[in-house]
Amino acid sequence: MHQLYTYLAKHMPHIGVNAEVLESSLPDHVDAYTMFFKGGFLLLYSKTPLNEADLEIGLRFAQEFGFAYGRHLELSEKIRQNRALLVEGALERVRSRSLAMEGTDELGEVARTLFEEFNRVGLSVRQLSISVVEDDGDTLNWRAREDKGKQTVLAFRSTEVFREKFSGDTKAALEKGEPYLHTAWDKKL
């Protein structure tokens, strides 16, 4: 029994007691039953051995939990599928807005739609900046943001000043073909 209590204290620190305290608080004898269900098992600890009728009840509870876990998996899959549909719908709205463009001046509206759809799928984007690096090194930029419930889209061209700031990790990641670069800024910097 001491080995069991030492194991429990070591591998279950959330119970917050050491092996000696645990051992002193538990009975001298424990009957442990492992009740299997599809995908796992549950453990029953009893002060006395279980009779056949009680074992059958334990097995039924295990099977019921197996059913509950199966339901959990089904619901998780439905959530995943619904999220995928939500994302596909958002992508389709961005694609539709892109196809509806009649002039180059409407790219800002695509940026606005992209910003809206990021938030619609739950990414909670505060600001979206889009930069297109042209062959001559200049960048075309769009910024979409929401401020006090009002959305704004800014469009501007950057040249030398922006290229100097852009030249660090972002440029290196772009040249390497990385799919993304994560950078975090602290407000104090």
Side-chain angles (χ1 to χ4, degrees):
M1 291 293 289
H2 179 74
Q3 286 177 324
L4 172 63
Y5 298 138
T6 301
Y7 177 85
L8 291 174
K10 180 179 179 184
H11 295 285
M12 300 174 75
H14 58 280
I15 61 176
V17 294
N18 63 35
E20 292 76 28
V21 172
L22 185 60
E23 189 169 5
S24 69
S25 67
L26 295 174
D28 292 332
H29 175 82
V30 172
D31 285 286
Y33 296 89
T34 305
M35 305 285 181
F36 299 102
F37 57 86
K38 185 178 179 182
F41 57 90
L42 59 91
L43 296 170
L44 299 178
Y45 298 99
S46 175
K47 293 178 184 178
T48 60
L50 298 178
N51 61 39
E52 287 299 317
D54 292 340
L55 281 171
E56 185 59 36
I57 291 170
L59 289 170
R60 289 175 64 193
F61 274 101
Q63 295 309 308
E64 199 57 42
F65 184 81
F67 173 77
Y69 185 69
R71 183 73 178 131
H72 161 78
L73 292 176
E74 288 173 16
L75 293 173
S76 295
E77 179 60 16
K78 285 184 188 286
I79 289 168
R80 188 198 63 74
Q81 290 172 349
N82 286 342
R83 172 109 170 118
L85 289 172
L86 181 68
V87 170
E88 284 303 316
L91 291 170
E92 185 56 37
R93 285 186 287 278
V94 172
R95 195 173 299 118
S96 293
R97 182 60 190 101
S98 299
L99 291 171
M101 282 180 25
E102 294 180 5
T104 58
D105 60 329
E106 293 181 50
L107 202 50
E109 290 306 311
V110 176
R112 180 190 310 272
T113 303
L114 192 61
F115 174 76
E116 291 169 352
E117 297 306 327
F118 267 120
N119 284 290
R120 183 173 285 154
V121 299
L123 292 180
S124 190
V125 174
R126 185 171 166 214
Q127 177 174 301
L128 170 70
S129 295
I130 302 169
S131 297
V132 176
V133 181
E134 297 183 315
D135 291 337
D136 64 1
D138 287 355
T139 56
L140 299 176
N141 302 280
W142 294 269
R143 286 217 176 101
R145 67 177 297 159
E146 189 164 326
D147 188 25
K148 298 178 185 171
K150 183 180 177 187
Q151 287 186 0
T152 59
V153 176
L154 304 172
F156 57 95
R157 177 178 285 276
S158 297
T159 54
E160 196 62 39
V161 174
F162 186 76
R163 280 199 304 266
E164 288 175 19
K165 292 180 181 179
F166 177 75
S167 64
D169 294 338
T170 305
K171 184 177 180 183
L174 184 64
E175 288 172 352
K176 286 181 184 176
E178 299 287 345
Y180 69 92
L181 171 68
H182 172 235
T183 306
W185 290 289
D186 191 346
K187 188 176 183 179
K188 294 177 184 178
L189 296 178

